[in-house]
Amino acid sequence: MKKALFALILLALLPTEAFCVERIVILYAAASPIVKALGVPEAHVVGVTRTDHEFPQAIRVGSHLRPNLELIKALKPDFIICGSKRAFPYEAARRFKARVFRYDPRSLEEILASIERLGHLLGREKEAKALAGKLSEKLRQVRPLPRRPGVVYEVMSVPLKVAGEKSIVSDIIWHAGGRNLVKVPKKHVQISPEKVLSLAPDFYIYQVGPMNRRPTPPKERPYFRALKSVVVKVDEKEFARPGLNAFDAVLELNKVFYEHMKK
């Protein structure tokens, strides 16, 4: 019901007709696999960020937080897909004669709604509906657990930061059958090791990637000697990016929960 209501609100905000899109710049790498899955021709994507490998022929236009605005302007885009207002403020967006689509989902439900909205704007409603259905089917493969295990998800080891409630990670944990023990309405939360130990998580997950490069395994850190949790290492790009990968992350995490809890 909640999902249906959210989709209706988004659809109500959409223009009535898709417009012809031929020059797309994507400033958030999480959106690129979706654009590709919708069948948009590669030649129509003219610019991407430097860590985005979905469209190798596209021009690199900087990072998602520091895009090269002059380079983007030279590409003459008619459609820009960007992230949050922080990543691409309104002041920057107003410099272009292009339609701007903000892709900034914080839940699986919002990812599905964003796919349908993108499909509408790109004139690929049928492909978007099929893709959303395929992803929803993945969630139906989640195996039931005897109870919801408590989880703490490490975003960064120095300083120690974990995922808060307003993160895609928190929603992945929930759909996988667990619960994020950090009940703070933020995306990332700085936390003390003592607080983590007091939460006594069943699972301590730590990501490895651009935000957490070469972290010491948690149980090898002096301050975590008393940690009793099952420790799980995951790929940051698979868990922290709010894209198609998030649905596979749910299944991967559910499998970990299931295997450990049946013992």
Side-chain angles (χ1 to χ4, degrees):
M1 183 66 185
K2 184 179 174 184
K3 175 186 170 184
L5 180 60
F6 185 76
L8 284 173
I9 292 173
L10 279 180
L11 287 171
L13 297 173
L14 294 177
T16 53
E17 297 293 339
F19 71 110
C20 182
V21 174
E22 295 183 342
R23 299 186 66 79
I24 305 171
V25 169
I26 304 173
L27 298 178
Y28 194 4
S32 282
I34 295 172
V35 174
K36 179 168 276 190
L38 293 179
V40 173
E42 290 211 21
H44 287 190
V45 179
V46 296
V48 295
T49 56
R50 63 179 177 229
T51 59
D52 191 336
H53 305 295
E54 288 292 337
F55 297 97
Q57 303 303 319
I59 300 295
R60 298 297 184 267
V61 294
S63 70
H64 79 288
L65 289 176
R66 292 187 177 180
N68 185 326
L69 301 184
E70 294 306 317
L71 186 52
I72 295 172
K73 199 168 185 177
L75 293 174
K76 299 180 179 177
D78 51 25
F79 192 59
I80 297 175
I81 301 173
C82 61
S84 65
K85 296 170 189 172
R86 174 173 168 265
F88 196 65
Y90 287 121
E91 293 75 20
R94 280 197 287 267
R95 295 181 59 172
F96 302 95
K97 295 178 181 177
R99 183 163 293 182
V100 175
F101 176 78
R102 291 200 180 278
Y103 179 80
D104 188 27
R106 300 295 175 89
S107 68
L108 302 184
E109 198 170 78
E110 290 181 12
I111 292 173
L112 293 174
S114 295
I115 288 171
E116 294 203 21
R117 191 178 179 193
L118 257 179
H120 177 85
L121 291 173
L122 296 172
R124 294 182 177 272
E125 291 91 342
K126 183 180 176 182
E127 291 86 349
K129 187 175 181 181
L131 179 57
K134 184 179 175 183
L135 295 172
S136 297
E137 177 57 34
K138 287 189 177 185
L139 296 182
R140 287 190 277 276
Q141 298 173 29
V142 171
R143 287 181 283 191
L145 303 174
R147 62 178 177 83
R148 283 192 179 272
V151 179
V152 169
Y153 184 98
E154 177 183 293
V155 175
M156 185 185 298
S157 61
V158 182
L160 184 58
K161 287 186 179 180
V162 297
E165 284 184 312
K166 286 191 173 181
S167 66
I168 186 64
V169 166
S170 192
D171 205 48
I172 288 172
I173 292 170
W174 179 261
H175 279 87
R179 57 193 172 95
N180 185 359
L181 295 176
V182 181
K183 303 299 182 186
V184 179
K186 293 183 177 179
K187 187 176 181 181
H188 299 155
V189 182
Q190 193 160 338
I191 195 171
S192 69
E194 293 78 13
K195 179 62 178 177
V196 172
L197 293 173
S198 72
L199 291 172
D202 297 294
F203 291 87
Y204 185 90
I205 302 173
Y206 72 110
Q207 67 177 18
V208 178
M211 290 191 70
N212 208 22
R213 297 181 186 277
R214 296 182 290 278
T216 301
K219 290 195 174 179
E220 294 179 19
R221 304 171 196 170
Y223 54 77
F224 271 162
R225 284 175 182 159
L227 187 68
K228 304 296 184 186
S229 316
V230 174
V231 174
V232 182
K233 176 181 172 183
V234 299
D235 185 336
E236 177 184 331
K237 291 180 181 177
E238 297 302 315
F239 275 71
R241 281 186 176 180
L244 303 183
N245 51 283
F247 294 82
D248 292 322
V250 168
L251 295 182
E252 181 182 334
L253 193 54
N254 174 252
K255 182 180 179 182
V256 171
F257 290 159
Y258 183 83
E259 293 296 325
H260 282 279
M261 294 180 74
K262 75 178 184 181
K263 293 177 182 176

